[in-house]
């Protein structure tokens, strides 16, 4: 599995999520939830993290935080490894405790922090675990309402300041804000995010993309596929067909021609370069029966580009002409 490219923007917030391996209920016991929070709170001090909200469910967790020192990966590695050791020693767990690497969404704080806190705090309610969100003991919501003291490692002030200068008034208004989402759940802003990784206005997104090391940005196909605005695969197919003047690029169609073959090869190349689509999605368009055929065709085109200057010159002109159709 490719290592995720983590995005950092000064002053941004991050929603962090991870699930138990194979859906395991790794936090089913209350003392395991408590131990996880103890570990993470130690990491907060060690790595300079600021935590705004949390919710520890039986099989996954949510954290809403800021990372001024660019230590997000460090604190998550520390927390995950220490907690995994605990689960193996105390619970006899074998194999991976968490399901792969943690997921994180970098967001512009002013736009998303309050809404994400509501999404997190209502998680137990929408899961049907409690009738009122404040009844769930393993989230930060009760601290926002003043029902229990906020620990030193939890920052409730940043969000509550939006709802009033006096604590009691702010808490009451924040409660009203949360309860508005009980019958109308917030949509998680993943559809607004570039590559499911960064959400905000255009300037914020560009700052985020600029935080990735230059060699990884420009020499890594994963960056182009995921972090530049991706082209929907159906839109790419339409653009390729229009450019080559063909009705379909599907292999084996009765009206296939040399132009169809060329269009199919170009589609595969551009789909691998400019969309987040996997091989199994690409073959639904091309008509290949085996996803490995996509990889074979992509490699073959790459070899021709390296060995044949005339082929490369013509191919690059055609590829640029197709891609220009999707430019803003």
């Amino acid at each position: 599995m490719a290592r995720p490219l983590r995005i950092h923007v000064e002053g941004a917030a991050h929603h962090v999520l991870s699930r138990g391996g194979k859906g395991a209920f790794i936090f089913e016991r209350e003392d395991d939830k408590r131990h996880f929070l103890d570990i993470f709170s130690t990491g907060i001090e060690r790595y300079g993290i600021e935590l705004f909200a949390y919710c520890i469910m039986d099989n996954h967790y949510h954290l809403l935080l800021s990372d001024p020192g660019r230590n997000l990966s460090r604190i998550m590695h520390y927390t995950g490894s220490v907690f995994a050791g605990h689960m193996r020693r105390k619970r006899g767990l074998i194999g991976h405790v968490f399901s792969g690497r943690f997921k994180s969404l970098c967001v512009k704080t002013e736009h998303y922090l309050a809404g994400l806190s509501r999404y997190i705090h209502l998680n137990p309610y929408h899961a049907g675990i409690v009738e009122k969100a404040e009844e769930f003991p393993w989230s930060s919501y009760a601290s926002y309402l003043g029902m229990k003291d906020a620990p030193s490692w939890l920052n409730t002030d940043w969000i509550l300041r939006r709802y009033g200068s006096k604590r009691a008034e702010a808490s009451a208004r924040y409660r009203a804000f949360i309860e508005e989402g009980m019958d109308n759940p917030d949509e998680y802003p993943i559809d607004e995010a570039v590559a499911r990784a960064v959400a905000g206005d255009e300037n914020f997104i560009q700052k985020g993309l600029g935080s990735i090391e230059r060699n990884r940005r420009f020499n890594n196909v994963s960056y182009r596929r995921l972090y530049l605005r991706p082209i929907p695969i159906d839109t790419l197919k339409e653009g390729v067909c229009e450019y080559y003047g063909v009705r379909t690029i599907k292999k084996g169609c009765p009206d296939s021609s040399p132009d169809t073959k060329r269009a199919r090869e170009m589609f595969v190349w551009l789909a691998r370069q400019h969309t987040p689509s996997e091989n199994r999605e690409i073959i639904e368009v091309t008509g290949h029966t085996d996803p490995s055929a996509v990889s074979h065709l992509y490699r073959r085109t790459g070899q021709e580009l390296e060995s044949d200057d005339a082929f490369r010159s013509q191919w690059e002109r055609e590829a640029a002409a197709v891609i220009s159709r999707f430019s803003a």
Side-chain angles (χ1 to χ4, degrees):
M1 181 184 295
R3 184 178 297 276
L5 298 176
R6 303 296 182 192
I7 289 180
H8 176 85
V9 181
E10 186 176 353
H14 300 264
H15 175 222
V16 179
L17 164 69
S18 189
R19 298 184 181 276
K22 299 180 180 178
F25 281 45
I26 55 174
F27 300 115
E28 191 169 17
R29 301 187 185 190
E30 292 196 355
D31 56 339
D32 291 331
K33 292 185 178 77
R34 184 178 297 109
H35 191 62
F36 178 84
L37 284 175
D38 287 344
I39 296 167
F40 191 76
S41 63
T42 299
I44 286 174
E45 183 175 355
R46 178 178 297 184
Y47 295 106
I49 299 296
E50 194 164 24
L51 183 66
F52 300 112
Y54 68 86
C55 182
I56 316 299
M57 303 289 279
D58 284 352
N59 66 342
H60 69 283
Y61 64 76
H62 295 270
L63 305 169
L64 185 59
L65 53 84
S66 68
D67 174 31
R70 304 186 70 150
N71 287 319
L72 179 58
S73 292
R74 292 185 178 92
I75 188 173
M76 299 316 302
H77 174 74
Y78 164 77
T79 303
S81 59
V82 175
F83 183 76
H86 160 80
M87 293 298 287
R88 294 187 183 106
R89 288 191 307 273
K90 300 293 186 181
R91 308 288 178 243
L93 199 64
I94 298 173
H96 295 293
V97 174
F98 293 102
S99 178
R101 297 182 177 94
F102 68 92
K103 295 178 175 62
S104 64
L105 176 64
C106 178
V107 300
K108 188 167 184 177
T109 306
E110 296 85 348
H111 291 183
Y112 292 102
L113 194 64
L116 281 171
S117 76
R118 179 163 67 183
Y119 176 86
I120 290 170
H121 286 151
L122 285 177
N123 211 252
Y125 171 79
H126 289 305
I129 297 172
V130 293
E131 293 186 359
K132 297 181 178 180
E134 60 266 31
E135 294 173 353
F136 188 69
W138 299 105
S139 87
S140 48
Y141 185 42
S143 295
Y144 274 81
L145 301 185
M147 297 173 61
K148 65 179 183 181
D149 292 337
S152 60
W153 41 264
L154 176 67
N155 180 348
T156 60
D157 291 340
W158 201 98
I159 291 176
L160 287 179
R161 277 199 299 266
R162 295 167 56 100
Y163 296 93
S165 57
K166 296 180 179 179
R167 182 80 185 197
E169 177 188 36
S171 293
R173 289 179 176 174
Y174 182 71
R175 179 197 284 270
F177 168 73
I178 294 294
E179 292 178 351
E180 287 173 3
M182 294 174 68
D183 295 328
N184 299 291
D186 289 292
E187 291 291 331
Y188 188 60
I190 200 67
D191 290 337
E192 303 170 25
V194 173
R196 306 175 71 85
V198 56
D201 57 34
E202 194 65 33
N203 183 54
F204 178 86
I205 290 170
Q206 290 305 315
K207 286 181 180 179
L209 300 182
S211 72
I212 304 169
E213 298 91 340
R214 183 179 178 84
N215 65 322
R216 296 188 77 181
R217 281 189 286 145
F218 296 103
N219 298 328
N220 191 306
V221 171
S222 296
Y223 172 84
R224 293 195 297 273
R225 293 175 67 201
L226 298 178
Y227 288 88
L228 295 176
R229 299 277 186 184
I231 302 170
I233 192 168
D234 289 338
T235 303
L236 177 62
K237 181 193 72 172
E238 292 170 5
V240 169
C241 287
E242 183 179 289
Y243 176 78
Y244 287 100
V246 299
R247 288 190 296 174
T248 181
I249 59 175
K250 187 158 285 190
K251 189 177 177 65
C253 282
D255 60 350
S256 62
S257 67
D259 286 339
T260 304
K261 180 175 181 293
R262 180 74 164 193
R264 183 167 55 248
E265 292 171 346
M266 180 60 73
F267 171 80
V268 167
W269 179 259
L270 295 178
R272 289 287 300 266
Q273 290 274 332
H274 293 277
T275 82
S277 303
E278 298 182 0
N279 286 357
R280 67 175 184 272
E281 298 170 286
I282 295 173
I283 65 172
E284 292 179 5
V285 179
T286 63
H288 291 97
T289 57
D290 188 339
S292 65
V294 172
S295 297
H296 174 74
L297 183 55
Y298 182 75
R299 284 195 301 269
R300 190 178 70 192
T301 301
Q303 290 166 357
E304 287 189 74
L305 288 170
E306 289 182 3
S307 62
D308 189 330
D309 290 344
F311 174 84
R312 182 174 64 252
S313 178
Q314 179 62 30
W315 184 269
E316 289 178 349
R317 282 197 295 272
E318 293 176 23
V322 173
I323 290 301
S324 69
R325 294 167 180 264
F326 311 112
S327 299

